Amino acid sequence: MVASRVGLVTIAVDPHKRLNAVEVVDAGAVVLGQRVFEHSTGGFKELMGFARGWRRRQWAVEGATGVGKHLAQRLAAAGEVVWDVPSKKSSLVRSFSATSGRKTDQVDAHAVALAALNTPGLEQVRPDDHTVALRLLACRRHELVGSRTQAVNRIHRELQILLAGGAKQKLTATQAKVGLASVRPREEVGKVRKALVADQIVDLVRIDTRLADIDKQIKAAVKAAPTTLPALFGVGPVITAIAVGEVRDIARFAGADHFASYNGTAPTTWGSAGEARPCVNRGGNRRLNHAIHMAALTQLRNPGPGREYYQRKLDEKKKPKAALRCLKRRISDAIYRRMLADAAIERGPGGHLGATTKISAANPTPTVDSSIKPQPGPQPQATPHAAKAS
């Protein structure tokens, strides 16, 4: 994040639960000021009063999507230019600094400042929008599904003892009630076990009700969102909410290859002491990868281009898992093109995407000066391992 004009300062923040350590540096990493402010309403007012001492300023907040999210969002809502500094970047700077391993709030703030000044491609913090709402709904549904799985497993465990042969694998609350009603235990332990199963069935009914409600909320939120992803076969409201919520801004990716590398559908390389070999990508955003996987399974279960493509890969002597990975990559590319088209529709009169921008040494950094506009920085070139799966 290199200054384009003399006088631009970077206000680095090491956020905590109860306080924020702040350090102000210029483009040459010269420290201009250090303060610690309470993480409260009054502390925020003091922080802004302190920051107004530098008209041309920008902020670098460590973990702007985590512990620093509250402060970063307040700054962004106030019209400040805020950059998200990943914790890994600042911790690496601190590890190689001449602090002899000391760790204090001011040392951490200085590490955040150095990481911000020397790291290209930082993400600019934007006020929360519909993408955050979709991500929250998708995460809540994921939690409820996990709770339902646990509830069903507990019922299965007890019905295995109460019923001869247990219960079916895909168990519903109604089926559990019917199975439990057929049991007439006479011993005390059996009666207690039946009562506990009845209580667990009540929990399952409650979770099912909440799941149905969250599904309605997701469907309504997706319908109101500026996205056409549900038009893709196999991509329903839930998968759309996951994709839009996790990606946030498709302009972050230089192309379909980078997007596929991000979601784990592109192959990667692995090796040491020799030539690296292509292998399956086990990294990337696993939640988005799982959503693409579910879309692929939907296409396989129904006739259409997806199943035909999968069959062609099998005819080419690919193994079923390899053919499925090819289909997932194909869906990833389709999602990327669709989201790119949606973003183009949202562009303003000037052609700006109005979303996340990139920065680099070759890209002037925007400031709070109204005469300077945020500019998207140069995008990295696709790497060989991000090539399409064939």
Side-chain angles (χ1 to χ4, degrees), residues 84-105:
D84 178 18
V85 179
S87 301
K88 290 183 178 179
K89 299 291 185 181
S90 56
S91 62
L92 283 175
V93 172
R94 187 176 61 250
S95 299
F96 289 101
S97 63
T99 58
S100 301
R102 291 188 296 271
K103 187 180 186 301
T104 64
D105 292 336

Side-chain angles (χ1 to χ4, degrees), residues 17-20 36-44 46-47:
K17 184 177 181 180
R18 295 181 177 85
L19 57 87
N20 295 308
V36 176
F37 300 90
E38 290 186 0
H39 188 39
S40 61
T41 302
F44 181 76
E46 293 180 7
L47 174 60

Side-chain angles (χ1 to χ4, degrees), residues 214-270:
I214 203 72
D215 283 341
K216 291 181 181 178
Q217 294 183 48
I218 290 176
K219 187 175 181 179
V222 168
K223 186 176 181 180
T227 177
T228 59
L229 278 183
L232 296 176
F233 182 67
V235 179
V238 174
I239 295 179
T240 298
I242 295 174
V244 174
E246 294 297 326
V247 173
R248 303 189 306 278
D249 174 31
I250 197 64
R252 296 193 294 139
F253 307 100
D257 293 343
H258 281 83
F259 179 66
S261 181
Y262 169 76
N263 60 47
T265 58
T268 185
T269 54
W270 186 264

